Each structure stands twice: as C-alpha cells, then as structure tokens.
Amino acid sequence: MNPGARPTDNSAAPPLRSDAERNRGRIIAAGRTVFGRDGLNASMASVAREAGVGIATILRHFPAKEDLVAAVFLDRMDAYADAVAVALDDPDPWHGFTGYIETACAMQAADYGFADVLTTTFPTAKALEQRRNEAYEAMVRLIDRAKATGRLREDFDPSDLVLIHMANAGVVNACGDAAPDAWRRVVALMIQSLETPARGPLPASPEHDALYKAMLRAVPAGSTAPKPGRNS
C-alpha cells in the first residue's frame, strides 16, 4: 500500500444517512449489552431485539456476526493492548507482568463477550487482529523482562498466556453471577505457580498452529472464519 496514493472514488464508502448512522450506533450499543451479558454465542436476533431493529437492518450494516463482534470489541482490544503497554512501563518487571495478568483477567470477568474475544481469533477482522498481534508482541517483551529478574520460571512460554485466558474465560462463564469473584482465586493460584523456584517441569506447551486452530474453533456460530486447516 502506498501511503501517498490518493484514494479512488471506488475506494471511498459513501457516508451513511443520519437514520442509518443512528441505527448502526444502536446496533453496536445493543451488541455490547447482549455480548457482554451472554457471551459471543448470543444470537444476532437477540442483538436485533435489544436494538429495536429488524434482523435485516443488522445484516445491512454487519453482513456477518464477526463484523459486529469486531465493531463492538475494537475499543476493548485497544484497552487490552494499552494494559500491556502500562505493564511494560512498570519499573518492576515482575509486578508489571502479574499486574497485566490481573488486569486482563478482570476485563474478561467484567464482560462475558470479551472473555470469549481474548480466546477466539477472527481472521477477517483485520483491525481487531492487528491490535491483538501488537499486544502479543508486547507481551513477549513483558515475559522476557520478568524472566530476566529471575522471578518468572524459565519454562514459561507466551502461549501460556493464551491458556491462562482460556482457563479464566471458562471460570468466568461457568460461575456467572453465582460466584462472580471466583476468577480472582484462580488467577492468584496461577500467578503463584509461575514464580520461581519452580516445583517441577511443565509438560510441553502446545504448538503455535495447534493453539491457533483451537482459537478458530471457538469462533461463534454465524461468523465467517475459514476452517481450521486453512492458512490465514
């Protein structure tokens, strides 16, 4: 892409009419409410009812569920990436590392939809995935800094953070309102298991491709992600 190139008329999307813009805003707000309450398995029909529009109106703005998920959660992913940046700025690398885990898991606990987003990949949602990738690269630096202090076990792998998010999402979704703070104990147990001295070796971490396929399988019904065997 040439940054200096002028866009052609075909590349410029026409501005939405004011009523269409209002509908889009209502749909995104409804998506935040419904996905935040019920997770990403909530139906588009549920979002339509919350927004007070027909399903056809939603599909005009968001032809696939993945499009709506991306619009709803991009700002949450921005906040997630910012949390990693804050952790990197902490003068105490171990405190920054553990603080990041607690912050990210708290974000999952506060929003069932975002709990799912952190453990699911959306290949066609380019902006969302770019922010996720930026956060991941920063997390690798965060892990290296924590290891350099001697407090983070040497066999900790970046993929372990994905597994922590998957575990936390499971606790959040399983406990719901019955035990809304149960995740805090689980996260504390996990953090304590990461600190040296390690009590024993860990099993091998999952291969990157295998973990990616697992995240693809978590894509909610109605999305348009490629099958797990395809390259992104």
Side-chain angles (χ1 to χ4, degrees), residues 44-154:
M44 295 283 267
S46 297
V47 177
R49 286 193 295 272
E50 179 72 25
V53 300
I55 191 70
T57 300
I58 287 190
L59 293 177
R60 278 197 297 273
H61 290 278
F62 305 102
K65 189 175 184 179
E66 185 168 326
D67 300 325
L68 178 57
V69 169
V72 167
F73 289 106
L74 181 57
D75 63 337
R76 303 291 199 279
M77 192 62 79
D78 285 341
Y80 172 72
D82 289 343
V84 184
V86 169
L88 278 172
D89 286 339
D90 194 313
D92 181 339
W94 173 252
H95 182 266
F97 174 74
T98 58
Y100 154 74
I101 292 177
E102 291 167 348
T103 298
C105 289
M107 292 175 68
Q108 287 184 294
D111 188 318
Y112 287 179
F114 193 64
D116 292 338
V117 166
L118 280 188
T119 60
T120 309
T121 189
F122 303 93
T124 65
K126 300 303 183 185
L128 191 72
E129 291 304 308
Q130 180 180 343
R131 289 299 274 158
R132 186 203 303 277
N133 291 337
E134 290 170 356
Y136 182 83
E137 291 171 1
M139 283 189 298
V140 171
R141 298 197 299 273
L142 189 64
I143 291 167
D144 289 342
R145 290 176 75 240
K147 284 184 178 180
T149 68
R151 295 192 67 181
L152 176 61
R153 55 187 302 157
E154 278 298 321

Side-chain angles (χ1 to χ4, degrees), residues 13-28:
L16 292 175
R17 302 190 314 272
S18 58
D19 57 337
E21 187 62 44
R22 282 194 298 272
N23 279 341
R24 179 182 171 86
R26 289 166 62 188
I27 293 165
I28 292 174

Side-chain angles (χ1 to χ4, degrees), residues 144-218:
D144 289 342
R145 290 176 75 240
K147 284 184 178 180
T149 68
R151 295 192 67 181
L152 176 61
R153 55 187 302 157
E154 278 298 321
D155 55 357
F156 185 85
D157 185 86
S159 65
D160 292 326
L161 281 174
V162 180
L163 297 179
I164 287 172
H165 289 323
M166 287 180 170
N168 190 55
V171 171
V172 167
N173 286 309
C175 292
D177 294 335
D181 291 327
W183 68 273
R184 296 183 184 278
R185 183 175 179 86
V186 175
V187 169
L189 288 168
M190 288 190 287
I191 287 175
Q192 290 180 31
S193 74
L194 302 179
E195 192 170 9
T196 55
R199 299 298 187 267
L202 294 172
S205 59
E207 296 291 336
H208 180 271
D209 288 348
L211 197 56
Y212 181 73
K213 288 178 182 178
M215 294 175 73
L216 276 176
R217 280 200 294 271

